[in-house]
Amino acid sequence: MLFTPMPHSTAKYPFEAGLLGWVQEFRQEAGFLAVFGPTGELLKVHEADIVQSGNRLVSHERKKQLIQVHLSWIYYDPFEWPEYAWLKWHQVPRAVLNQMIDKFRLPPLPQGSGDPQELPESWGVMF
């Protein structure tokens, strides 16, 4: 998988690119919000609607409603794909995330002092 960051991208860790690979394969680049149960089981995937641009996006209002009800989730918003996309996850067990990105894993990058030392259970990144 070749990943070239765009000018406004915040991506800098291999786990971000790995999870991006998983979400794009999971829903063929369409936006979604997936919610998980207390032990990391996938409970439901809220599919995106087709918007005027032709992209498939979950509205911000719908996202707000869903994340108030569900504690553990992954949100993918390819708002201007292939230029930009937003990916965020919250309280998804690390073991579940590792399973998702295993086949997309990239070599580790050198770590700075403020960098996460392992895959975080909550994170957000723009590509």
Side-chain angles (χ1 to χ4, degrees), residues 36-89:
F36 298 86
T39 59
E41 69 278 13
L42 181 61
L43 296 178
K44 183 167 184 173
V45 177
H46 297 272
E47 300 286 347
D49 297 318
I50 297 175
V51 295
Q52 194 171 26
S53 68
N55 290 343
R56 294 186 59 90
L57 307 174
V58 174
S59 75
H60 291 283
E61 188 59 38
R62 181 75 175 130
K63 176 192 165 219
K64 282 184 207 176
Q65 293 169 353
L66 292 168
I67 66 174
Q68 288 178 1
V69 176
H70 300 284
L71 185 60
S72 178
W73 46 266
I74 294 176
Y75 173 68
Y76 177 59
D77 181 1
F79 61 96
E80 286 186 20
W81 191 255
E83 284 81 25
Y84 296 107
W86 176 248
L87 174 60
K88 186 170 185 174
W89 60 95

Side-chain angles (χ1 to χ4, degrees), residues 102-120:
D102 191 45
K103 79 178 205 178
F104 300 101
R105 191 162 311 275
L106 302 173
L109 296 177
Q111 297 273 320
S113 61
D115 293 346
Q117 298 302 307
E118 56 186 18
L119 175 60

Side-chain angles (χ1 to χ4, degrees), residues 24-44:
Q24 290 179 325
E25 186 175 270
F26 182 63
R27 285 294 187 254
Q28 290 72 47
E29 299 184 2
F32 67 89
L33 192 135
V35 295
F36 298 86
T39 59
E41 69 278 13
L42 181 61
L43 296 178
K44 183 167 184 173

